[in-house]
Amino acid sequence: MSAPFTTRVLTVSSGSRERVVDLTRDCEAFLAEVAGGRDGLLNVFVPHATAGVAVIETGAGSDDDLLAALHTLLPADDRWQHRHGSPGHGRDHVLPALVPPHATLPVVDGRLELGTWQSVCLVDTNRDNPRRQVRVSFLG
């Protein structure tokens, strides 16, 4: 029998530009290995102060729309009191208040239970940190 709780850390290259990185296949591969056909919960957590996790449609422009909306809400300018890093970096530290650093998703029969157009994504506006860690955990 599989363990009731299993966790793994993924390393994700987000590059030196703002990105929405689709993690769905990584999550599905993790569940295929550890869930053993069981029902449970998948938790996705980004242990960074400047990134978040979103469940959003990708590939049809919604990911770019999200980045554009974040640019409107959190412009990369000199208004931020948190001032180290690249210009406007203080806004990256506000991002997790709007795009939380975690998501908990249902798993049914060992498979991620997402809607038709939903994807699990890392949202990273911090150009100063091109490598991220994402912790995926299954509780079955």
Side-chain angles (χ1 to χ4, degrees), residues 7 11 28 32 59 104 131 137:
T7 190
T11 300
E28 290 170 340
T104 300
R131 295 180 60 78
S137 302

Side-chain angles (χ1 to χ4, degrees), residues 45-109:
F45 176 70
V46 181
H48 297 283
T50 59
V53 176
V55 177
I56 187 172
E57 177 181 10
T58 58
S62 297
D63 36 353
D64 290 332
D65 290 342
L66 174 59
L67 291 175
L70 290 172
H71 247 286
T72 299
L73 292 170
L74 305 171
D77 58 22
D78 64 357
R79 74 182 71 199
W80 308 101
Q81 296 197 26
H82 188 106
R83 295 187 187 266
H84 75 83
S86 61
H89 174 65
R91 70 159 190 148
D92 299 328
H93 287 274
V94 177
L95 173 77
L98 301 175
V99 181
H102 58 87
T104 300
L105 305 160
V107 175
V108 177
D109 294 329

Side-chain angles (χ1 to χ4, degrees), residues 119-132:
S119 295
V120 182
C121 298
L122 167 70
V123 179
D124 188 358
T125 59
N126 182 357
R127 299 179 313 236
D128 297 337
N129 191 350
R131 295 180 60 78
R132 297 298 189 154

